[in-house]
Amino acid sequence: MSILIGDTAPDFTADSSEGPIHFYDYIEGSWAVLFSHPKNYTPVCTTELGFTAKLKPEFDKRGVKVLGLSVDKLEDHAGWARDIEETQGVALNFPLLADTDGSVARKYDMIHPNADNSLTVRSVFVIGPDKKVKLKIEYPASTGRNFNEVLRVIDSLQLTAKHQVATPVNWENGDDVIIAGSVSNEAAKAKYPEGWKELKPYLRVVPQPRD
Ligand code: BEZ
């Protein structure tokens, strides 16, 4: 069964490069990113894990716990982690799950039999503190993901969880935002006393709320 945005993220227990992890305990109260990659000791995955490790301070700033998933064995993770450090200039600094029986990958629908029967595709799940799936992205094995985009979506999700706004095309943190359609002009006047730019009654633009 596929996991869709708004669904509860399935719980699991698995070994990882940082010891056994009970997912719900691990992410309790935090945002989380769970992402799969097809295989250890492959070039694209090596660059993705290195880059994600470099972004760790950015994830920390946003209160996000990052977890990688591989269907390879735990013993293999240690040697590959050394290669990641050597080639990408940064040590692995988040847990890499060893989902050798594929049970987590199946729960999250990360194995697409028509792509490959045993390896995971490149899935990314962003999970909120309420344990609901907020974002799901899937890439093919041959295409490395853009983890800056994952951070950008987290910024949007965290902003829109707090304020009744939506973020427009190519929005980056700090850009103008759109007042949600559910907010009446009367309510908007109270929240945005300086007013807004009304391009259409349904397209009302304001500076990004700061608090
Ligand atoms: C890679 O990570 O480089 C990769 C993995 C599986 C298939 C193709 C490329």
Side-chain angles (χ1 to χ4, degrees):
M1 206 182 71
S2 58
I3 306 288
L4 302 175
I5 289 176
D7 289 353
T8 299
D11 196 14
F12 59 82
T13 302
D15 274 339
S16 86
S17 54
E18 296 188 9
I21 284 190
H22 176 216
F23 188 54
Y24 274 13
D25 288 346
Y26 185 74
I27 66 169
E28 185 55 40
S30 300
W31 289 75
V33 171
L34 173 66
F35 70 102
S36 57
H37 56 264
K39 209 166 167 39
N40 286 7
Y41 293 110
T42 48
V44 177
C45 300
T46 302
T47 61
E48 286 188 323
L49 291 203
F51 192 74
T52 307
K54 278 187 194 144
L55 286 183
K56 175 80 167 21
E58 294 299 320
F59 286 112
D60 287 348
K61 238 184 350 197
R62 292 160 174 81
V64 181
K65 295 202 169 161
V66 178
L67 284 140
L69 177 146
S70 158
V71 292
D72 288 293
K73 295 201 277 288
L74 200 53
E75 305 89 89
D76 288 346
H77 287 3
W80 189 35
R82 283 193 291 278
D83 287 0
I84 291 168
E85 185 164 7
E86 183 189 323
T87 62
Q88 308 304 304
V90 57
L92 209 55
N93 50 15
F94 54 88
L96 193 51
L97 302 173
D99 183 35
T100 43
D101 64 1
S103 57
V104 181
R106 277 194 299 281
K107 278 185 179 176
Y108 278 84
D109 208 24
M110 292 164 165
I111 295 173
H112 296 191
N114 291 330
D116 190 298
N117 217 7
S118 56
L119 305 181
T120 46
V121 293
R122 297 186 193 282
S123 299
V124 184
F125 289 89
V126 173
I127 296 156
D130 58 0
K131 309 214 170 48
K132 302 279 188 206
V133 172
K134 307 294 182 187
L135 169 78
K136 177 188 178 181
I137 313 179
E138 288 170 344
Y139 276 50
S142 52
T143 306
R145 287 157 285 197
N146 184 339
F147 281 85
N148 289 323
E149 167 64 1
V150 176
L151 273 181
R152 190 190 75 86
V153 179
I154 290 169
D155 282 340
S156 170
L157 285 166
Q158 294 188 338
L159 180 74
T160 58
K162 212 162 154 197
H163 300 278
Q164 288 176 289
V165 296
T167 59
V169 60
N170 295 342
W171 174 87
E172 297 283 349
N173 200 5
D175 290 352
D176 288 353
V177 300
I178 295 167
I179 301 172
S182 56
V183 179
S184 67
N185 277 349
E186 201 161 69
K189 263 182 222 148
K191 183 142 175 65
Y192 306 105
E194 328 253 274
W196 56 86
K197 204 182 337 163
E198 185 161 313
L199 302 170
K200 289 282 173 192
Y202 59 82
L203 181 49
R204 299 167 295 171
V205 177
V206 280
Q208 177 177 326
R210 283 284 155 208
D211 56 334

